[in-house]
């Protein structure tokens, strides 16, 4: 049976993936998946391509293409970027290729309408006379009615609260820039207030950060809103309700059912993997700007449709990652495109820096100078220098005549070496917690690994004075063994974040097989052997860090 299902928000194919995307749910979900898998937990990781977003069609309108062309072109580029950064999905959902996706979405929509959860309402909606188009979501911008910052329709990226488009202050068309007028429009609305008790119980049980928890309570204050789940549009799934068949289903409603449809598809490929209906544990990764959808709208839709659905056990959200102090933006082309960056920069170097700089609870900002300084002049300089020194000490320990060439030195370890061995084991125990959904922090995992390297290097420097001295050389050898165990712990702990670097070190230590297959809880016996460590780990070399211009 599948114990854990991991999901990451399907990206919109209105442009390529940028570093901001990678810093958020996709890399985080992959780190979590890798750790779960190598710990022996049956786990699957899924996402999709959010074809029917209005932002996809708006990009097509601006570029003079069809929405299908834009979705296909950028969808392929997104999947390539995931593959090139070793993001290992077990399933990538494609709404326009999956008959079950459309079928289940309409089935759920119809069921909720028949039950009275979805009702017709006539309310104002912005309209652009210049473009002769209803302006909702991607087509309208104005001041958020809740926080006053610039926002598109339906949801504010800054405060996270939903809007009804017409309550944006000073609405303008995003295509031509002209002011929008308000016209009455009959649409279908999902009533959320009937799901209040279900949602409040869910919020008490699910693991989520304080920012997201506060958002849930702000949305619920004064009564949960009614949300438009149909729009007068040409792009997306048609509404299966008589009188509204010319409208399209709100894409975020569609995503709720899309998760269920994708899980069904995964179940066919890997029986026992549908944790939504078959028990187990679902952990969802997404940005805070998508928080209200995942924490309010999706569970409301799922539970209204099927009260037996097992809702997620944990949400792992992130704040905005900025570029030179400004928000990464696909629509405004303020970004470093991932495929462009990967032409020069090793994927593991990006993964390493973005995990260190991940905007877990507060916004952080990327610059090329910080990337270069962190890797070349800080972290990798320290790690590579230690590995180079350890390689020389390893050779000295292995080459002395009469010394055993076994994996562990004979006799008890000196207190200093025994202390480092225990710190290595303790580091892995603490990293296990740092990779958990409850405490998820790849930055803390890297901090723990970095401190282990510092401790190991300090012990090695002390023991250098004992090398070759009668009566003391055995203590030097014991120290080398302890350092080698620390290096194996570094490879093991680093694997979920930088898998290629971890495997390079694992192989350089002379350890068999793949580090991904090593039992997390097993002690590692590293053989003494006269071999270069640093030279066999080229991605640890600070000289391999590409310095790019600002």
């Amino acid at each position: 049976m599948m114990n854990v299902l991991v999901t990451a928000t399907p990206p919109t194919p209105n442009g390529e993936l940028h570093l901001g995307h990678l810093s958020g749910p996709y890399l985080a979900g992959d780190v979590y998946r890798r750790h779960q898998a190598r710990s022996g937990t049956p786990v699957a990781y899924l996402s999709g391509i959010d074809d029917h977003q209005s932002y996809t069609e708006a990009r097509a309108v601006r570029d003079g293409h069809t929405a299908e062309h834009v979705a296909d072109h950028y969808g392929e580029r997104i999947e390539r970027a995931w593959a090139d950064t070793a993001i290992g999905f077990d399933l990538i959902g494609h709404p326009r290729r999956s008959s079950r996706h459309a079928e289940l979405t309409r089935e759920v929509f119809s069921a909720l309408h028949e039950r009275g959860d979805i009702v017709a309402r006539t309310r104002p909606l912005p309209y652009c006379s210049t473009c002769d188009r209803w302006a909702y979501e991607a087509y309208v911008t104005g001041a958020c009615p809740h926080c006053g910052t610039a926002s598109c329709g339906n949801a504010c990226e800054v405060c996270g609260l939903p809007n009804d488009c017409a309550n944006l202050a000073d609405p303008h068309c995003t295509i031509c820039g002209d002011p929008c007028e308000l016209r009455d429009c009959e649409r279908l609305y999902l009533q959320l207030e009937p799901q209040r008790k279900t949602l409040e119980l869910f919020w008490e049980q699910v693991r989520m950060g304080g920012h997201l928890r506060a958002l849930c309570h702000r949305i619920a204050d004064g009564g949960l809103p009614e949300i438009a789940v149909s729009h007068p549009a040409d792009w997306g799934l048609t509404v299966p309700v008589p009188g509204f068949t010319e409208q399209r289903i709100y894409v975020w409603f569609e995503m709720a059912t899309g998760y269920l449809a994708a899980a069904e598809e995964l179940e066919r490929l890997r029986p026992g993997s549908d944790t939504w209906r078959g028990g187990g544990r679902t952990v969802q990764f997404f940005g805070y700007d998508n928080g209200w959808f995942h924490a309010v709208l999706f569970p409301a839709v799922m539970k209204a449709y099927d009260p037996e659905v097992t809702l997620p056990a944990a949400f792992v959200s992130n704040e905005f990652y900025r570029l030179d102090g400004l928000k990464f933006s696909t629509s405004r082309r303020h970004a470093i495109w991932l495929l462009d960056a990967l032409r020069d920069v090793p994927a593991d170097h990006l993964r390493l820096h973005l995990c260190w700089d991940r905007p877990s609870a507060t916004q952080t900002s990327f610059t090329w100078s910080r990337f270069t300084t962190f890797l070349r002049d800080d972290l990798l300089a320290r790690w590579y220098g230690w590995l180079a020194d350890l390689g020389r000490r390893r050779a000295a320990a292995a080459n002395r005549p009469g010394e055993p060439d076994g994996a562990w030195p004979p006799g008890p370890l000196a207190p200093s070496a025994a202390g480092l061995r225990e710190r290595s084991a303790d580091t892995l125990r603490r990293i296990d917690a740092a990779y958990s959904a409850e405490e998820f922090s790849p930055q803390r995992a890297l901090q723990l690994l970095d401190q282990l390297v510092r401790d190991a290097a300090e012990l090695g420097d002390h023991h250098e004075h004992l090398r070759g001295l009668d009566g003391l050389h055995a203590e030097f050898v014991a120290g080398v063994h302890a350092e080698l165990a620390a290096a194996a712990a570094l490879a093991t702990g680093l694997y979920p974040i930088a898998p290629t670097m971890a495997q390079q070190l694992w192989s350089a230590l002379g350890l068999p097989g793949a580090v991904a297959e090593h039992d997390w809880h097993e002690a590692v016996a590293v053989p003494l052997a006269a071999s270069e460590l640093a030279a066999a780990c080229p991605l640890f070399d600070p000289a391999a860090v590409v310095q790019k211009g600002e």
Side-chain angles (χ1 to χ4, degrees), residues 493-523:
L494 185 62
Y495 160 72
I497 292 172
T500 302
M501 294 176 68
Q503 186 59 47
Q504 284 182 356
L505 178 54
W506 187 261
S507 299
L509 290 168
L511 295 169
V515 64
E517 297 170 357
H518 168 64
D519 187 334
W520 174 255
H521 305 288
E522 270 187 12

Side-chain angles (χ1 to χ4, degrees), residues 404-426:
D405 192 25
W408 306 109
L413 290 176
S416 58
L420 181 60
R421 286 283 308 281
E422 179 53 39
R423 283 197 296 279
S424 296
D426 182 62

Side-chain angles (χ1 to χ4, degrees), residues 98 212 241 265 300 368 403 405 496 541 544:
S98 168
L212 184 57
V241 174
E265 184 176 348
W368 280 117
E403 291 292 344
D405 192 25
D541 188 348

Side-chain angles (χ1 to χ4, degrees), residues 444-461:
R444 182 159 19 105
L446 288 174
Q447 290 170 338
L448 289 166
L449 290 172
D450 189 42
Q451 186 59 54
L452 180 62
V453 169
R454 292 171 188 262
D455 292 345
E458 182 178 4
L459 179 137
D461 290 340

Side-chain angles (χ1 to χ4, degrees), residues 387-535:
L387 291 176
D389 291 341
L390 176 55
R392 289 189 287 271
R393 286 192 285 271
R394 185 189 196 189
N399 287 334
R400 178 165 171 132
E403 291 292 344
D405 192 25
W408 306 109
L413 290 176
S416 58
L420 181 60
R421 286 283 308 281
E422 179 53 39
R423 283 197 296 279
S424 296
D426 182 62
T427 295
L428 292 182
R429 286 192 292 270
R430 294 168 68 187
I431 286 175
D432 191 29
Y435 285 142
S436 70
E438 290 71 21
E439 301 181 25
F440 189 77
S441 177
Q443 183 188 59
R444 182 159 19 105
L446 288 174
Q447 290 170 338
L448 289 166
L449 290 172
D450 189 42
Q451 186 59 54
L452 180 62
V453 169
R454 292 171 188 262
D455 292 345
E458 182 178 4
L459 179 137
D461 290 340
H462 282 300
H463 281 198
E464 278 284 0
H465 301 288
L466 310 180
R467 184 182 0 170
L469 296 179
D470 290 338
L472 295 176
H473 186 75
E475 189 173 342
F476 165 75
V477 174
V480 171
H481 278 290
E483 284 190 84
L484 290 171
L490 173 60
T492 304
L494 185 62
Y495 160 72
I497 292 172
T500 302
M501 294 176 68
Q503 186 59 47
Q504 284 182 356
L505 178 54
W506 187 261
S507 299
L509 290 168
L511 295 169
V515 64
E517 297 170 357
H518 168 64
D519 187 334
W520 174 255
H521 305 288
E522 270 187 12
V524 178
V526 184
L528 279 182
S531 63
E532 277 285 340
L533 277 180

Side-chain angles (χ1 to χ4, degrees), residues 183-199:
R183 296 184 181 181
D184 282 345
C185 179
E186 188 180 25
R187 288 176 291 166
L188 294 169
Y189 280 75
L190 173 66
Q191 302 176 96
L192 294 177
E193 186 61 26
Q195 293 292 324
R196 172 178 285 274
K197 289 184 178 179
T198 297
L199 289 171

